[in-house]
Amino acid sequence: MANEPENRLTSTPTVAKKKKRWWIIVLDIVLLVVFLLALAVSANVIYLTSAYGEPFYVNGASMYPTLNKNGYRLEDGEYVPLTWNDSHNKEGDIVDYGWARSGSTGNWRSTLSRFDIVITYFPTDYLDPDSLVLSPSASLKIKRVIGLPGEKVKLEYDESNTAWGKTTITYEDGTSEVLPNLYDEEDFPPLPNGYQYEGIDRNRLTECELGDDEYFLVGDNRAASHSEDSRSPKIGPIKGDFIQGKAYLLTGQRELVLEDGKLTPKFSWSGLSFPWDYVKLDEWL
């Protein structure tokens, strides 16, 4: 019987390609997006730290409606919008978060001007104000600059704007000016329970002459006791050394958590704002 020819492979066999399942492709894309987003957030934090220096969060409604207007408080397990009557925040609340220039970062101290928002201690926060020794219970406050060194500040009641009143500044050369009102009654709407905004506290209408290194600081929420500030006799004018920084940006919101007995802002993706949505606090007027 004749030998049959052998069947030999003349080329390397091609291995069949495995098709990538769709969910693996989607997972790869999601992981890439998360990585890039985390990288962008980290780079942004590095930039904010180098450009501004210190983050801050807002506790309370003394600067409402400039700050914490869009925040939430945790009430009976549900979130409800913050109002001008929420004097203090507690664990679980969602509050404004931003960045301030402090210390030697930037030239903020020499460029402090009227209507700037500053982060400060009060005289009552010091055991010895002259040596700047802080008490264990000291806490930072956030207020608006109304009067500058060497000026006279006069706060009066104004029927045409009961929320803000009338603020007159007399300069060192003797000339005077009535400051524009940033808010009126419409910015402090009645609360769901029918509680009405009281308007500026008439018991704290005052006239004050500032020294060479003194500032007059007032909260935007001027009614009743919503803002403890330079109008109070125990607070009065604030020395320049008491002011710790100038607030420049609101970059989002944070949830307050209790750590070691203190409220701390906790990062969350839901509270993150994009850079084009940041609120610049030094461009009000």
Side-chain angles (χ1 to χ4, degrees):
M1 178 180 286
N3 293 331
E4 294 182 0
E6 295 182 8
N7 292 324
R8 298 178 180 273
L9 293 175
T10 57
S11 62
T12 303
T14 302
V15 178
K17 290 183 178 180
K18 291 183 179 180
K19 291 185 177 180
K20 217 170 188 180
R21 295 182 181 180
W22 66 268
W23 60 268
I24 296 179
I25 297 175
V26 172
L27 181 61
D28 288 344
I29 294 174
V30 170
L31 291 175
L32 179 61
V33 170
V34 170
F35 171 76
L36 292 176
L37 188 57
L39 187 64
V41 170
S42 299
N44 193 45
V45 170
I46 292 173
Y47 164 73
L48 292 172
T49 302
S50 61
Y52 297 101
E54 293 292 337
F56 69 89
Y57 76 91
V58 181
N59 182 4
S62 70
M63 282 296 293
Y64 187 99
T66 305
L67 304 174
N68 273 354
K69 183 178 181 179
N70 298 314
Y72 295 90
R73 72 177 189 273
L74 191 60
E75 185 177 277
D76 298 328
E78 296 184 1
Y79 282 108
V80 296
L82 289 173
T83 72
W84 45 262
N85 197 43
D86 293 309
S87 57
H88 293 288
N89 293 108
K90 57 186 179 181
E91 187 175 18
D93 289 354
I94 308 296
V95 298
D96 283 342
Y97 183 85
W99 290 79
R101 285 194 175 131
S102 62
S104 59
T105 304
N107 195 28
W108 67 271
R109 192 175 289 277
S110 63
T111 59
L112 276 181
S113 58
R114 199 179 327 279
F115 294 121
D116 281 348
I117 297 175
V118 295
I119 297 169
T120 185
Y121 287 116
F122 284 167
T124 50
D125 288 307
Y126 293 93
L127 294 175
D128 180 5
D130 292 331
S131 61
L132 301 180
V133 178
L134 288 169
S135 70
S137 60
S139 62
L140 289 166
K141 289 83 175 171
I142 185 163
K143 305 293 175 183
R144 189 182 295 279
V145 175
I146 299 299
L148 300 172
E151 297 178 344
K152 293 180 181 179
V153 181
K154 185 177 183 180
L155 294 181
E156 301 173 273
Y157 184 76
D158 186 357
E159 286 285 356
S160 65
N161 192 328
T162 59
W164 197 260
K166 178 183 177 182
T167 307
T168 304
I169 299 295
T170 301
Y171 303 106
E172 292 183 272
D173 62 2
T175 60
S176 61
E177 175 188 8
V178 176
L179 298 183
N181 297 324
L182 301 187
Y183 297 109
D184 56 31
E185 296 88 338
E186 294 180 357
D187 297 300
F188 304 87
L191 301 183
N193 60 7
Y195 187 44
Q196 300 281 335
Y197 190 71
E198 312 96 313
I200 192 169
D201 187 351
R202 299 197 197 193
N203 294 320
R204 289 198 287 164
L205 299 175
T206 185
E207 191 168 359
C208 178
E209 185 170 353
L210 301 173
D212 292 337
D213 187 37
E214 292 182 334
Y215 296 81
F216 198 85
L217 310 182
V218 180
D220 289 350
N221 192 353
R222 296 187 175 192
S225 59
H226 296 313
S227 175
E228 188 77 354
D229 48 45
S230 290
R231 294 173 295 169
S232 300
K234 66 178 181 179
I235 304 299
I238 304 299
K239 293 182 180 180
D241 286 342
F242 295 178
I243 300 175
Q244 305 299 301
K246 175 181 172 181
Y248 277 84
L249 285 177
L250 289 183
T251 59
Q253 295 179 316
R254 297 285 176 97
E255 177 184 353
L256 297 181
V257 297
L258 204 57
E259 293 183 354
D260 299 327
K262 294 183 179 180
L263 289 176
T264 302
K266 177 184 176 183
F267 174 82
S268 66
W269 290 104
S270 61
L272 186 66
S273 295
F274 292 105
W276 49 85
D277 292 323
Y278 290 171
V279 177
K280 294 183 178 180
L281 295 174
D282 60 335
E283 294 183 0
W284 268 93
L285 299 178

